Amino acid sequence: MYDILVYATNPESVTEIKELFPAPVHQVCVVDENDDWPVDVPETLFDFALAWEAPVQEVSKFLEKQQAVGLGFVPVVALTRDSSEADQLFALPLADVITLPTPRALFMRTIETLVHGRKRSEEDRRGMNWQGSLSEFNLIDLIQMVDAGRRSVEARLSQEGLNGRLVFGEGVLCDAQFRALSGSAALKKMVFWSRGSFQIRELGDEAVTNEIKLQNQEILLQLFEVLAKQDQLSRDLPDFTTQLLRNPLMEPGELTGLQSKILGQCQQAITIFELLQVLDDDGEDILLELKIMLEMNLIGDRVEVEAAIREAAETSNFSKVISSISSIFKRKPRESVVEYQFYESLPEESLLPLQFPARELSEDDRRLIEGKLLGGSQ
Amino acid sequence: MRIMETIVISQDGQYQQELMSELPTLRQRVYGVDVDRLEISEDLIVHLYHFSLEGGIAGEILDHLQGHLSAMVMIADLEQIRNQENNDLDEIRKTVNNVPAILAIRSEKDVLPYNRDAKASGLLLADNARMFFWDPEDKRSKGIVWNAALNTLQFETVNNLL
């Protein structure tokens, strides 16, 4: 399978290229305008590029653009029908120039030699000392690759300030370190790293002690299980890049030890990924507790929590009034008994006799009152 | 004939007019106090005695009434509640703390953050006291205040005593 970057301005050429390298086996990315490349082009690791029947000047621009976006390491093959243009193309830093028409088999052999010969030469140059991106080779890939090489190496992994170390003895993973964690616990944290870089260094004659004491296949099975479990748990959780924040409007009550640690970390906004890395506890346990705490609203999406805090602040004065008023209405014992004073005479305007009110309301009374007050006031 | 006596307290009497605008009452004056007479039925009458905090409330009258009161309605807006001086409400409530009480807060529509349930049943202040919000433009909100004062809390209190 090849990832191919194609510069072609003729739609018929594009059709032919896609027939030569059909999807989904091969991934073909076509640019037809040097001034406007798709945004995801620089993020793709292409095996090679084709400049298909493009004028020399445009091929030159293509090469410049390729360098500018960081893809200068991708070999470019230019194809042309014009033999005089072929001579000019050879002056450019191209991997090869092919004059059309050419037999398909010869063309494919050229490509194959170009791609595989490049990889072999890279390995010969550096042996097992090499570095790369975790986005291309993650922990599982590295274990398998070192296992295949049967070498004793040290691998240093890093991602956004996180640093881990692996030690292989003759291809067998013997030790792993991440902060204070070692062995399987460290591996279970590093297996989720996908954005950083790694460096591999041969250890030569350095002695390697096997601390993990498991075959690589057993380790890989454990890691696959960890990945599968997290994938399952993550379905009920926000995206791992979502920032979480403690909700100060909720009283936590009794918390487990891990919940307390999570709540402590969430005092400042923190992503789920960061939480999984900063806590030494098992990732599965962390995710399970996270799910509970999200349901209890003890923590939440930072944006939503901040909005709730703002809303509460706007109503805080109201709440204070409620509290003070409520205290007024709580039953309090009479501090003193006031003597009843009789009025010796009633003022002239007194027209309504006072009677002791009946404190018993029947259902009929209730309906009458309700009807009078609500029925007529709607 | 049964009479339910209710005292209605406000800062200066202004909000009383608005809150009672839909009540078919007949105003009288008793013991120097404005009293509105609301006839529920031939057998059941409500007297609403009006007092204003600004004018002061004679302790003797309050003490005279408190033994007969069925309910107490205090009308204000939030600003008045916050700014009340001399803890007037506190003193009044000490005197009549056994009477079902309503604190009726005048508010513009949808200004305060209360939901439909709070609108209909009020916010609990104590076991025999609730706070309601009423909008001078909303007849039903005003009716809910009076119904709670005369009916809901009175009935609940009575049922608790029986």
Side-chain angles (χ1 to χ4, degrees), chain A residues 204-329:
Chain A
D205 295 329
E206 291 175 44
V208 174
T209 306
N210 194 340
E211 304 287 348
I212 295 179
K213 297 184 174 57
L214 290 174
Q215 295 296 316
N216 284 351
Q217 286 305 316
E218 289 175 278
I219 295 170
L220 289 172
L221 283 172
Q222 280 185 3
L223 295 177
F224 283 132
E225 194 179 338
V226 167
L227 288 170
K229 275 188 184 167
Q230 175 166 292
D231 181 62
Q232 194 176 15
L233 288 169
S234 66
R235 287 173 205 167
D236 296 325
L237 292 168
D239 186 85
F240 279 27
T241 58
T242 302
Q243 283 192 323
L244 301 179
L245 191 63
R246 174 180 180 165
N247 183 358
L249 305 176
M250 294 296 293
E251 283 299 318
E254 273 197 47
L255 298 175
T256 65
L258 180 52
Q259 286 175 347
S260 295
K261 281 198 267 184
I262 291 172
L263 207 60
Q265 290 296 331
C266 290
Q267 296 282 9
Q268 304 288 334
I270 186 169
T271 65
I272 296 180
F273 174 82
E274 288 165 349
L275 203 57
L276 288 168
Q277 297 298 319
V278 78
L279 294 173
D280 290 343
D281 303 78
D282 186 86
E284 187 182 343
D285 294 336
I286 294 172
L287 293 179
L288 285 169
E289 296 288 19
L290 261 182
K291 189 180 168 192
I292 293 170
M293 295 172 78
L294 284 165
E295 286 169 0
M296 292 166 65
N297 279 326
L298 295 176
I299 55 177
D301 185 310
R302 173 189 183 175
V303 173
E304 292 173 8
V305 170
E306 287 176 346
I309 293 170
R310 277 196 299 275
E311 188 181 336
E314 287 165 11
T315 60
S316 62
N317 286 336
F318 178 70
S319 301
K320 287 173 189 169
V321 169
I322 296 291
S323 299
S324 63
I325 292 172
S326 182
S327 67
I328 295 172
F329 283 85

Side-chain angles (χ1 to χ4, degrees), chain A residues 311 315 317-318 321-322 324-335 338-341 343 345-347 349-363 365-378, chain B residues 1-3 5 23-24 28-29 31 37 39-41 49 60-61 63-64 66-70 74 78 81-82 84 89-90 93-94 97-98 101 103 113 125-129 131 133 139-140 143-144 146-147 150-151 154-155 158:
Chain A
E311 188 181 336
T315 60
N317 286 336
F318 178 70
V321 169
I322 296 291
S324 63
I325 292 172
S326 182
S327 67
I328 295 172
F329 283 85
K330 291 285 191 293
R331 289 187 189 277
K332 296 168 190 170
R334 292 288 301 274
E335 292 173 358
V338 178
E339 290 183 7
Y340 184 83
Q341 297 185 7
Y343 289 86
S345 62
L346 296 175
E349 58 266 30
S350 170
L351 301 174
L352 302 169
L354 285 177
Q355 297 185 16
F356 288 97
R359 288 180 180 265
E360 296 174 11
L361 289 179
S362 65
E363 282 293 338
D365 292 335
R366 293 193 64 213
R367 277 193 288 274
L368 279 170
I369 293 172
E370 195 167 312
K372 196 80 175 183
L373 295 173
L374 293 176
S377 60
Q378 288 186 11
Chain B
M1 178 185 289
R2 294 172 297 152
I3 297 178
E5 291 186 310
L23 294 184
Q28 301 286 344
R29 199 161 171 83
Y31 300 151
R37 184 175 187 273
E39 187 174 309
I40 302 296
S41 68
Y49 292 83
E60 295 85 352
I61 294 180
D63 288 337
H64 169 74
Q66 72 93 16
H68 314 286
L69 284 177
S70 299
M74 303 161 105
L78 271 185
I81 294 292
R82 288 192 189 104
Q84 61 156 329
L89 283 179
D90 201 8
R93 191 55 187 163
K94 280 180 189 174
N97 64 353
N98 292 326
L103 181 59
L125 295 174
D127 56 4
N128 66 344
M131 185 163 73
F133 302 96
K139 291 178 186 176
R140 183 160 180 84
I144 288 172
W146 293 114
N147 187 54
L150 302 175
N151 185 357
Q154 166 67 218
F155 188 74
V158 169

Side-chain angles (χ1 to χ4, degrees), chain A residues 140-244:
Chain A
I140 290 179
D141 295 327
L142 292 177
I143 293 173
Q144 293 179 13
M145 284 157 56
V146 176
D147 178 89
R150 295 281 189 269
R151 300 288 186 92
S152 296
V153 302
E154 174 195 60
R156 290 193 178 270
L157 284 65
S158 67
Q159 173 171 320
E160 296 165 356
L162 306 171
N163 295 298
R165 178 174 174 264
L166 308 173
V167 176
F168 294 80
E170 296 181 2
V172 178
L173 182 55
C174 296
D175 197 10
Q177 295 285 335
F178 170 58
R179 293 205 317 268
L181 300 172
S182 62
S184 294
L187 291 172
K188 287 177 183 178
K189 296 292 185 183
M190 289 191 274
V191 73
F192 298 109
W193 296 5
S194 62
R195 292 193 299 278
S197 62
F198 65 87
Q199 287 182 326
I200 295 183
R201 176 181 73 87
E202 283 214 64
L203 292 177
D205 295 329
E206 291 175 44
V208 174
T209 306
N210 194 340
E211 304 287 348
I212 295 179
K213 297 184 174 57
L214 290 174
Q215 295 296 316
N216 284 351
Q217 286 305 316
E218 289 175 278
I219 295 170
L220 289 172
L221 283 172
Q222 280 185 3
L223 295 177
F224 283 132
E225 194 179 338
V226 167
L227 288 170
K229 275 188 184 167
Q230 175 166 292
D231 181 62
Q232 194 176 15
L233 288 169
S234 66
R235 287 173 205 167
D236 296 325
L237 292 168
D239 186 85
F240 279 27
T241 58
T242 302
Q243 283 192 323
L244 301 179

